[in-house]
Amino acid sequence: MKIHHNIWHILLGLGLIALVIACFLLFILLIFIGYNILFSFIMPISLIALYISLWILFSLDAEDRRLIKGIATLCACILGLGMTYVAIKEWRNARYRAVAAVKELELREYEPFYSDKLAVLEHPADLQLKDNLPVLDGSTALYPLYAAFVQTVYPPQLAQEYEELNRLIQSSKTGTAYQRLLDGEVDIIFVPAPSKSHQALADSKGLQFQLYPIGQEAFVFFVHQSNPVNNLSIAQIQQIYAGNIKNWQEVGGNKEAIRAFQRPENSGSQTALQRIMGDIALMKAPKEDIPTGMDGIISQVADYRNFPNAIGFSFLLYSSQLVQEKQIKRLSINNIAPNHENIRNKSYPFTYDFYAVTLGNESRETQQLIQWIQSPQGKELIEKTGYVPVP
């Protein structure tokens, strides 16, 4: 009987040691993975194992409980600490996710021949393209503009040829649009000026961008509507994004840490920020974990979220809807407001041209389209879309 009793103690001891190891691994998983996998599989098994061990523990005589009781208590503490950590982490994540990311332009609302939001001419267009139609791409912010060009001068029967229309006009964003142009997939892209990396890539391929300025736009910084700060200097913007100014109190605001959002590398707005920074090194961009399905997670540059202490940037037209909805307010720079008047007279410091860009090997139809865009009718659509046409 004593042998069986000793074997029972050995087995119980080994089981509890295994439980301690499992709890330790569980704690590590809680820290580095989170609750999704744990609550679905590991956590129930661990809790059942702990319950069984405690039931066995309190069924033993008092003399047999001491060491086992300590081990069981250690297991419970590790599990408790892990659960507390996850609870705090998920509470913080929930608070973060409760502030919705600023959504990008909904392209489907501006599809040519399907949308009533696109600018239209007062009189019939002087140009009507029929064959060898140029393939267009560009930045998201400019999509409503070149979609209006397509609706105005491309054949209206494209409305019944959706796949062909989708081939002829896309918005793959600034960085990808430059790449597609260099790869020969498109004829014209509508974008801000190329970044250094885009220019270097063109040079490496022996290609040269041909930039046709067609409009002007203000690059703007914005904050939460409740932020008391209304103006920043260029130097203050640079020091915020260098990470040297860290609290709004340093620029006349509340005593609150600055949450400075950025955009992905090679995007049009990130390139504009890099031009403002010049030789001043940018701080690291805030990151966020994005689920990719099958429990995968990637880390990417965080989208702007309208926290009371946030600052973000974009182009004037792109931010207009958020201003109208009173979610954000745009900041003056050097006490000059970002508006069309100050864009035209170039008094606003961050005024930039945007372009129709080719590789200089334009077809006759591509040349005709660019010339028409630079004509009074093209400028009319540019202005009606909400941009300032070049003089």
Side-chain angles (χ1 to χ4, degrees):
M1 293 293 293
K2 190 171 183 179
I3 295 176
H4 290 293
H5 187 70
N6 289 338
I7 293 175
W8 170 251
H9 277 77
I10 292 171
L11 292 175
L12 182 59
L14 290 174
L16 288 174
I17 290 171
L19 184 60
V20 171
I21 295 172
C23 287
F24 176 74
L25 294 175
L26 183 60
F27 179 67
I28 299 299
L29 288 171
L30 282 165
I31 293 175
F32 291 103
I33 297 179
Y35 72 92
N36 289 334
I37 296 175
L38 299 171
F39 276 126
S40 62
F41 179 69
I42 301 175
M43 183 60 71
I45 293 177
S46 300
L47 290 176
I48 291 170
L50 180 60
Y51 174 80
I52 292 173
S53 66
L54 290 174
W55 178 77
I56 294 173
L57 170 67
F58 288 103
S59 68
L60 296 175
D61 296 333
E63 294 181 0
D64 298 326
R65 291 183 186 175
R66 294 175 184 173
L67 178 61
I68 300 174
K69 184 177 181 180
I71 294 174
T73 302
L74 178 61
C75 294
C77 288
I78 293 175
L79 280 173
L81 287 172
M83 291 297 292
T84 301
Y85 177 89
V86 170
I88 294 172
K89 184 178 179 180
E90 290 305 314
W91 174 72
R92 293 181 65 181
N93 288 342
R95 286 189 65 194
Y96 183 85
R97 290 189 294 265
V99 179
V102 172
K103 294 182 179 179
E104 296 190 341
L105 197 70
E106 185 58 65
L107 299 184
R108 287 176 297 180
E109 297 180 3
Y110 294 91
E111 288 183 340
F113 307 111
Y114 294 95
S115 172
D116 59 358
K117 292 187 175 183
L118 297 177
V120 295
L121 293 175
E122 187 174 347
H123 301 291
D126 298 332
L127 174 69
Q128 288 295 326
L129 297 176
K130 296 181 180 179
D131 301 308
N132 196 24
L133 301 172
V135 179
L136 312 181
D137 200 349
S139 68
T140 305
L142 292 173
Y143 181 80
L145 177 59
Y146 60 91
F149 295 156
V150 167
Q151 181 170 272
T152 304
V153 302
Y154 280 37
Q157 59 263 32
L158 284 173
Q160 281 74 47
E161 302 173 15
Y162 188 79
E163 288 187 6
E164 176 66 5
L165 178 62
N166 191 52
R167 184 188 71 83
L168 290 170
I169 177 171
Q170 295 186 26
S171 177
S172 57
K173 301 186 179 181
T174 301
T176 304
Y178 269 105
Q179 183 66 58
R180 294 187 71 212
L181 180 65
L182 291 171
D183 291 342
E185 297 178 17
V186 297
D187 300 303
I188 311 175
I189 60 174
F190 297 87
V191 285
S195 66
K196 291 180 181 179
S197 62
H198 291 139
Q199 191 61 61
L201 185 59
D203 293 341
S204 70
K205 291 175 176 269
L207 300 172
Q208 186 172 359
F209 294 124
Q210 181 69 47
L211 277 66
Y212 298 92
I214 61 172
Q216 299 171 322
E217 175 66 316
F219 183 67
V220 301
F221 291 86
F222 48 78
V223 296
H224 190 276
Q225 183 71 24
S226 65
N227 193 321
V229 174
N230 295 308
N231 177 77
L232 291 172
S233 68
I234 295 176
Q236 287 172 331
I237 289 288
Q238 291 171 330
Q239 292 307 305
I240 286 173
Y241 277 93
N244 298 326
I245 295 179
K246 300 182 179 182
N247 198 290
W248 283 111
Q249 194 175 37
E250 299 177 60
V251 292
N254 297 325
K255 188 176 181 180
E256 196 168 9
I258 297 175
R259 192 189 291 258
F261 286 90
Q262 297 186 41
R263 297 293 296 144
E265 188 68 21
N266 284 330
S267 65
S269 50
Q270 187 72 7
T271 299
L273 176 66
Q274 290 165 346
R275 288 199 180 95
I276 292 170
M277 298 298 290
D279 295 330
I280 301 173
L282 267 170
M283 66 189 293
K284 288 186 178 180
K287 301 280 187 177
E288 64 181 348
D289 291 337
I290 305 298
T292 59
M294 297 300 291
D295 293 319
I297 293 177
I298 61 171
S299 182
Q300 68 176 31
V301 175
D303 291 330
Y304 176 82
R305 292 178 185 265
N306 199 28
F307 292 98
N309 62 336
I311 182 171
F313 53 81
S314 184
F315 290 96
L316 180 64
L317 182 65
Y318 205 57
S319 64
S320 295
Q321 182 176 352
L322 294 174
V323 172
Q324 292 170 2
E325 294 172 356
K326 297 185 177 179
Q327 296 184 44
I328 63 170
K329 65 176 179 181
R330 292 189 285 254
L331 298 176
S332 296
I333 305 297
N334 290 351
N335 292 308
I336 300 172
N339 55 42
H340 284 186
E341 180 182 354
N342 292 333
I343 293 173
R344 285 190 178 91
N345 62 33
K346 293 188 179 291
S347 61
Y348 181 71
F350 304 145
T351 297
Y352 300 106
D353 289 346
F354 57 85
Y355 305 88
V357 183
T358 72
L359 292 178
N361 55 350
E362 299 97 347
S363 66
R364 181 173 65 89
E365 289 78 9
T366 297
Q367 292 175 351
Q368 289 177 331
L369 178 58
I370 291 174
Q371 290 170 3
W372 178 81
I373 290 171
Q374 295 174 319
S375 74
Q377 286 193 328
K379 291 181 179 180
E380 181 184 340
L381 287 182
I382 291 170
E383 187 154 20
K384 286 184 174 180
T385 299
Y387 293 106
V388 175
V390 294

